[in-house]
Amino acid sequence: MAAPEEDSVFTGIVEELGEVVALQELGDAARLTVRGPLVANGAARGDSIAVNGVCLTVTEASAGTFTADVMGETLRRTGLGALAPGGAVNLERPLRLDGRLGGHLVQGHVDGTGTITARRPAPRWEVVRIGMPPGLLRYIVLKGSVAVDGISLTVSATGAAAGREDDPGRDGWFEVSLIPETLERTTLGRKQPGDSVNLEVDMIAKYVEKLLGAGARS
């Protein structure tokens, strides 16, 4: 199941490209088993691991694999329900108190899914454009941070459908530039236009919005 009650925090620096072993449907939930020898090493029941940016709680770990239950809300809000055996997933363990913050603060609480709409190769990197659902565009800023399938990335361009700039219901898109290391070590090196990705916007932007809203009402 997802673990919103825990205080686990991630950085968006993928540690390992894991492989889906099984996804067992359990009515309004599912049980996901992933092979990831690095992150599964030392994992115990109750530990947190981010799978494609979704914070999950380990229910079982052995022989380089771990299992987690995924509740219905998580299946509806993320792309985990579309995973299939053999598929690749990004894996990251929580940030340790003595660890380095290599990316940005990521909670593992996905805000919604986006769709890759285009890929443009460049001499030493690749530009990927991602369409995003209404309501999230206002949290995306040029040179700001966003987590895509759990990967901490910097926004290199943004755009929106025609309409009022203050309309929260407008569709939008953003672009990220991926270096060879990211292409090789994460799922974004494999995904193509039409594929879905999990999105988590910068938590600081959401806190600022709430504080400004509270200030305006006081």
Side-chain angles (χ1 to χ4, degrees):
M1 59 182 174
E5 74 280 359
E6 296 185 1
D7 295 325
S8 298
V9 180
F10 305 88
T11 69
I13 303 300
V14 174
E15 294 185 85
E16 183 176 18
L17 197 59
E19 178 185 357
V20 176
V21 175
L23 181 67
Q24 179 184 4
E25 296 184 3
L26 302 171
D28 192 34
R31 181 162 295 145
L32 175 66
T33 300
V34 175
R35 180 176 294 107
L38 177 63
V39 302
N41 182 32
R45 184 182 180 90
D47 287 349
S48 296
I49 296 177
V51 179
N52 279 358
V54 183
C55 179
L56 299 177
T57 301
V58 174
T59 58
E60 183 180 346
S62 64
T65 67
F66 68 91
T67 298
D69 291 335
V70 187
M71 61 185 180
E73 171 66 14
T74 303
L75 292 172
R76 288 186 290 271
R77 187 177 289 271
T78 75
L80 292 189
L83 295 176
V89 287
N90 300 319
L91 303 176
E92 183 190 358
R93 291 168 293 189
L95 175 68
R96 291 165 49 102
L97 289 177
D98 60 350
R100 293 185 176 182
L101 183 58
H104 72 284
L105 291 177
V106 178
Q107 293 179 297
H109 303 159
V110 170
D111 294 300
T113 58
T115 303
I116 295 176
T117 60
R119 299 185 71 113
R120 300 196 311 274
R124 294 181 179 83
W125 65 89
E126 189 165 342
V127 177
V128 175
R129 178 173 290 192
I130 300 172
M132 58 193 312
L136 294 183
L137 179 62
R138 64 183 184 273
Y139 301 115
I140 301 295
V141 296
L142 188 64
K143 305 303 181 184
S145 297
V146 62
V148 179
D149 270 353
I151 309 163
S152 175
L153 297 170
T154 300
V155 177
S156 57
T158 64
R164 291 170 43 195
E165 290 189 3
D166 60 349
D167 180 4
R170 286 195 306 167
D171 291 326
W173 56 263
F174 66 92
E175 291 181 344
V176 291
S177 299
L178 308 179
I179 61 175
E181 178 75 3
T182 304
L183 293 170
E184 180 180 353
R185 294 176 56 88
T186 74
T187 57
L188 286 185
R190 308 179 181 202
K191 292 199 170 183
Q192 298 300 317
D195 288 343
S196 175
V197 291
N198 295 325
L199 300 177
E200 181 184 333
V201 299
D202 192 345
M203 70 171 79
I204 297 176
K206 290 186 284 187
Y207 280 125
V208 169
E209 180 183 58
K210 184 174 182 179
L211 287 170
L212 290 176
R217 292 191 298 271
S218 62

